[in-house]
Amino acid sequence: MVDSAALAGFAGLLADQTRAAMCLALLNGKPWTMGQLAKHAGVAPSTASAHLTLLVAGGMLADEHKGRHRYLRLADRKMAGLLEDILSHIDSVEPKAAMARARTCYDHIGGELGVAISDAMLRQKLIVDSGFALTKDGLAWLEQVGVDVAALQATRRTLARPCLDWTERRFHLAGAAGAALCRTAFDSGWIERTKSERALRLTPAGTAAFAGLLGVTPESLS
Amino acid sequence: MVDSAALAGFAGLLADQTRAAMCLALLNGKPWTMGQLAKHAGVAPSTASAHLTLLVAGGMLADEHKGRHRYLRLADRKMAGLLEDILSHIDSVEPKAAMARARTCYDHIGGELGVAISDAMLRQKLIVDSGFALTKDGLAWLEQVGVDVAALQATRRTLARPCLDWTERRFHLAGAAGAALCRTAFDSGWIERTKSERALRLTPAGTAAFAGLLGVTPESLS
DNA sequence: GCGACGTTTCGTTGACGGCCGCAATATCGG
DNA sequence: CCGATATTGCGGCCGTCAACGAAACGTCGC
């Protein structure tokens, strides 16, 4: 039996807006330094340091001292998953047009939606299994979607690569192509940001678009 | 920014031990009255009333006025599911700072440490397989550890019995001997309480002691 | 209607926690 | 070694919130 003190103590870690903001910032899976988090949360470094010490002691975060920096990240994937569970529950109070837990991972689409898209692209041989490199069909498909492939190839950035999602433990499409696809999805009104600035909502238009382009059905996202 | 406020607000509902105790009590799915919850949480009715109003306003609980009673229950099944998710995560995170998932089970040692100790005692025939009764060697071993066996036998309490651990689904030593062993371990500095008051931390001295007395190695606790 | 009981509101008290600035410590670059 | 940068520790201030008792309110049983 988990006693009330343990539950209250754990919840107390997130019950402060400053600490909550820090944990949310770390949801992208990348380590931040103490100073970055302090600035992000809008508090003095000394204040942030105390908060982060609390969060680490409470098992929410893990830290690593490297030189004069203290890098912080979520303790593990399970913690990231729990945070997202809580967030999705909070979000679910409002209209639930979103049928999937989707979110941006830096500049590309992550979460279940990202994995579903990548799965479908693999199935249709638009990308290859190893390294997620785009096939000829994949390049053509991107053009059809509305991406300026030539412009992408002009940059030095890797065109397509896999990115491991925290909670899904699955790969999804990243790289220049992933970012371009995400931008197109926004521009076309297929996805839009929720208030949380991190979560995505798949619009009805987006549902139709992904169904037509990839055969991704709403059921495959549940 | 807006998101962190929502998260902090929600977590804040559970961040108080009194409110946490109330929510835990409601996890059985049955409605409780205000007075019952007040007594259960150990606070005055006026205090409990304020807390429950908060929890209802925050969407965690639902209430229903019937006559002169106010019946409270979790808002919905999803909320109950979320609570259980959080609790299960806490269970796996709580002992993270310790080298083993140890905890007290009433007055004796439970968790992985308790199971490991009992396993070792079985292996060394200090207790018998059925009923965990102490053997002659077991009584001598307890004396060696520093337990006043004669004093234990003077009480009416069962000397040794098995206790089924919640999460391990394995038996560990309980009864007067289990309690005495736990007390000795505290007094000798082999184990100490973490802040959570429920989890235990095995000290280096404890690691050495259990290794010498039972051949229990840290590896067997992982 | 009249107590008995459960609940709520109000006002007060006291403790805890977040915040800052400043000083101290540790590391990196030159 | 020195200045710059990053982080931590220490006081002290201030707002917030949980706690209580007393009193008011509403309901039930007789």
Side-chain angles (χ1 to χ4, degrees):
Chain A
M1 174 173 122
V2 178
D3 53 39
S4 57
L7 174 57
F10 180 83
L13 294 176
L14 290 172
D16 177 79
Q17 187 164 351
T18 299
R19 288 193 294 270
M22 290 168 167
C23 291
L24 289 180
L26 291 168
L27 258 185
N28 67 4
K30 302 275 171 156
W32 293 47
T33 69
M34 214 282 304
Q36 287 176 319
L37 286 171
K39 190 178 169 193
H40 176 79
V43 294
S46 58
T47 303
S49 177
H51 281 306
L52 293 169
T53 299
L54 266 185
L55 287 168
V56 171
M60 180 92 59
L61 306 184
D63 63 350
E64 186 180 1
H65 287 83
K66 267 199 177 158
R68 54 180 166 180
H69 290 283
R70 180 192 191 184
Y71 290 98
L72 299 166
R73 53 185 170 75
L74 293 175
D76 52 30
R77 287 195 174 82
K78 284 190 65 173
M79 190 58 69
L82 175 59
L83 267 180
E84 303 219 340
D85 279 348
I86 296 174
L87 289 178
S88 73
H89 207 274
I90 293 176
D91 278 345
S92 75
V93 175
E94 55 171 315
K96 278 196 59 184
M99 61 183 183
R101 295 193 313 176
R103 60 180 173 277
T104 48
C105 182
Y106 291 105
D107 55 3
H108 55 277
I109 302 174
E112 290 185 18
L113 179 60
V115 170
I117 290 174
S118 301
D119 280 354
M121 291 181 71
L122 274 172
R123 233 174 4 248
Q124 303 203 1
K125 302 200 193 313
L126 304 179
I127 51 179
V128 298
D129 205 26
S130 63
F132 273 32
L134 284 158
T135 62
K136 258 202 175 72
D137 286 350
L139 291 172
W141 180 84
L142 275 180
E143 284 284 0
Q144 177 194 344
V145 168
V147 173
D148 184 350
V149 176
L152 291 186
Q153 291 173 324
T155 69
R156 270 200 295 272
R157 183 175 178 188
T158 304
L159 193 56
R161 63 172 184 83
C163 173
L164 180 58
D165 189 86
W166 268 78
T167 58
E168 298 295 318
R169 305 194 188 190
R170 300 275 309 281
F171 288 102
H172 56 257
L173 181 66
L181 180 58
C182 180
R183 211 176 318 117
T184 300
F186 271 120
D187 293 343
S188 306
W190 297 343
I191 54 178
E192 54 192 26
R193 294 201 179 278
T194 65
K195 289 172 194 159
S196 78
E197 283 295 303
R198 193 185 46 87
L200 295 177
R201 182 204 316 271
L202 186 59
T203 65
T207 304
F210 285 122
L213 289 168
L214 291 170
V216 175
T217 61
E219 291 72 28
S220 72
L221 296 174
S222 63
Chain B
M1 212 56 153
V2 138
D3 205 15
S4 64
L7 174 57
F10 179 84
L13 294 176
L14 290 172
D16 177 81
Q17 187 163 353
T18 298
R19 288 193 293 269
M22 290 168 166
C23 291
L24 288 180
L26 290 168
L27 259 186
N28 66 3
K30 309 232 170 163
W32 292 48
T33 69
M34 217 283 304
Q36 287 176 318
L37 286 170
K39 190 178 170 193
H40 175 80
V43 294
S46 58
T47 303
S49 177
H51 281 307
L52 293 169
T53 300
L54 266 184
L55 288 168
V56 171
M60 182 93 59
L61 305 184
D63 62 351
E64 188 180 359
H65 288 83
K66 265 196 180 165
R68 55 180 165 180
H69 290 280
R70 182 192 191 183
Y71 291 98
L72 298 159
R73 51 185 169 77
L74 292 175
D76 53 30
R77 190 158 296 281
K78 282 193 65 175
M79 188 59 73
L82 177 61
L83 262 182
E84 304 212 342
D85 275 349
I86 296 174
L87 292 179
S88 72
H89 280 262
I90 289 177
D91 249 355
S92 60
V93 168
E94 184 76 25
K96 184 176 175 308
M99 68 189 286
R101 295 180 46 184
R103 60 179 170 277
T104 48
C105 182
Y106 294 102
D107 57 0
H108 54 276
I109 302 174
E112 291 185 17
L113 179 61
V115 170
I117 290 173
S118 301
D119 281 353
M121 291 180 71
L122 275 172
R123 239 181 350 256
Q124 304 202 1
K125 302 200 193 313
L126 304 180
I127 50 179
V128 298
D129 205 26
S130 62
F132 274 32
L134 283 159
T135 63
K136 259 201 175 70
D137 286 350
L139 292 173
W141 182 84
L142 276 181
E143 284 284 0
Q144 177 194 346
V145 168
V147 173
D148 184 350
V149 175
L152 292 185
Q153 290 174 323
T155 68
R156 271 200 293 271
R157 185 174 177 187
T158 302
L159 193 57
R161 63 175 183 83
C163 172
L164 181 59
D165 189 86
W166 272 74
T167 57
E168 297 294 317
R169 306 194 185 190
R170 301 274 309 282
F171 288 103
H172 56 259
L173 180 66
L181 179 58
C182 180
R183 211 174 320 116
T184 299
F186 271 120
D187 294 343
S188 307
W190 297 343
I191 54 178
E192 53 191 28
R193 293 201 179 279
T194 65
K195 289 171 193 159
S196 79
E197 283 297 303
R198 194 182 55 85
L200 295 177
R201 199 167 64 84
L202 186 60
T203 65
T207 305
F210 285 122
L213 291 168
L214 290 169
V216 175
T217 61
E219 291 72 29
S220 71
L221 296 175
S222 64

